[in-house]
Amino acid sequence: MEARSQYKRGLWTVEEDQILMDYIRVHGKGRWNRVAKLTGLKRCGKSCRLRWINYLSPSVKKGDFTEEEDDLIIRLHKLLGNRWSLIAGRVPGRTDNQVKNHWNTHLSKKLGITKRQQKFVVSSPTVPENDKEEADETNTHSNNANIELPGYDSNGGVIVNDYSSQSVVAEFSNTPNDCLVGSSWFSNDYLSLGYPSLMDLTDMFPIEFLWDGL
DNA sequence: AAAATAACCAACCGCCGACAC
DNA sequence: CGTGTCGGCGGTTGGTTATTT
C-alpha cells in the first residue's frame, strides 16, 4: 500500500522530468510504480505515467490546435461523445488530456454546448421532457417511437451489447442535426431527437467501421 | 496600480477492467 | 474464487496567467 504522503504532488520540475526521461530511456515505458523505487523520484506511478503520456513523450504535439484539428475533434466528438482517448487516438500528436481540455475550454463554448448536454444517462428508459420537445421539433415528419433499428428499442434507447452478458438501454441527449457520417444507416433522422447519438455504436462496432463514415 | 474575475491547463482522483498469483 | 497490482479512462480540481473593473 502506498502512503500517499510519501509522494510529491503538483507541477513537475525540469529535474524530475529529466529523471523520468532517463528512466524510460533505460527501462522503457511501463512498470510505472518502479520509477520511484529505482530513481528515488518522489512521484507515484500514476503521476509518472501521466507526465510521460501528456508531456514528455516525443509523440506529443505542443502548441495551439489548428483549425483542422478543431474540425476533426468536433466531428469525432459528435461520433464518439466524451471518449477522449478514442478521439485523441485519431488526432495525431494530441493526448486525451489535451483534447479534453481543449474541448472544455474552447470547442464546447464555440459550439454552445453545456456540460449537461454532453452527458447521457444509462439505464433510464424515459426521455427528459425538454429533450422530447426538441426532438419533436427536429423530427416532426416522422414518429420515431415506431422506428426500430438494429440495436435500438422502441423507446428510443439503444441496446448496447457488450458481447458478454448484459445489455443496457442507454438514453442520449440530442445531437446537432447535421450528421457528418456518410453511411445512410446513420441518416439525420436517427441522429436527431431522442435517438441516440452514435456514441454507443462504438460499443457495437469497431471504430474502424465508424471511421469510414467520417 | 491593485483587486477581482475569468480563462486556461497540468495534474489529481476515483473508478474500472485485465491480469497474475 | 478472492486479492492485489497495474494501466487506462473520464471527471474534476486547483494553481497560474490574462483580462477586466
Side-chain angles (χ1 to χ4, degrees), chain A residues 24 29 32 48-58:
Chain A
I24 290 167
K29 291 180 285 182
W32 298 108
C48 293
R49 175 184 161 271
L50 216 58
R51 184 61 178 171
W52 172 256
I53 288 173
N54 288 333
Y55 189 81
L56 296 176
S57 171

Side-chain angles (χ1 to χ4, degrees), chain A residues 7-131:
Chain A
Y7 294 113
K8 185 183 169 188
R9 297 168 65 185
L11 296 180
W12 282 63
T13 65
V14 175
E15 290 75 19
E16 288 175 319
D17 283 346
Q18 194 57 55
I19 291 170
L20 181 56
M21 284 195 291
D22 288 344
Y23 171 88
I24 290 167
R25 194 174 300 119
V26 174
H27 298 93
K29 291 180 285 182
R31 306 268 187 168
W32 298 108
N33 285 335
R34 290 188 178 184
V35 176
K37 292 171 188 167
L38 296 180
T39 67
L41 191 62
K42 294 196 172 353
R43 295 282 184 170
C44 68
K46 273 192 165 189
S47 185
C48 293
R49 175 184 161 271
L50 216 58
R51 184 61 178 171
W52 172 256
I53 288 173
N54 288 333
Y55 189 81
L56 296 176
S57 171
S59 63
V60 174
K61 189 174 166 184
K62 310 285 195 338
D64 294 340
F65 280 72
T66 65
E67 287 288 330
E68 288 74 22
E69 287 175 319
D70 282 357
D71 182 59
L72 181 56
I73 291 167
I74 289 167
R75 287 191 289 153
L76 285 165
H77 187 271
K78 192 171 289 182
L79 178 68
L80 301 167
N82 292 4
R83 299 189 171 185
W84 306 115
S85 61
L86 280 176
I87 294 172
R90 296 288 174 177
V91 185
R94 299 300 186 180
T95 69
D96 56 352
N97 212 30
Q98 281 180 308
V99 171
K100 179 172 57 182
N101 282 333
H102 187 60
W103 176 270
N104 287 334
T105 56
H106 295 97
L107 299 181
S108 63
K109 289 175 189 171
K110 187 174 165 183
L111 298 173
I113 297 172
T114 64
K115 285 205 169 186
R116 183 190 155 275
Q117 287 174 298
Q118 293 180 45
K119 293 183 176 180
F120 69 97
V121 180
V122 175
S123 298
S124 169
T126 59
V127 177
E129 288 305 314
N130 289 345
D131 291 346

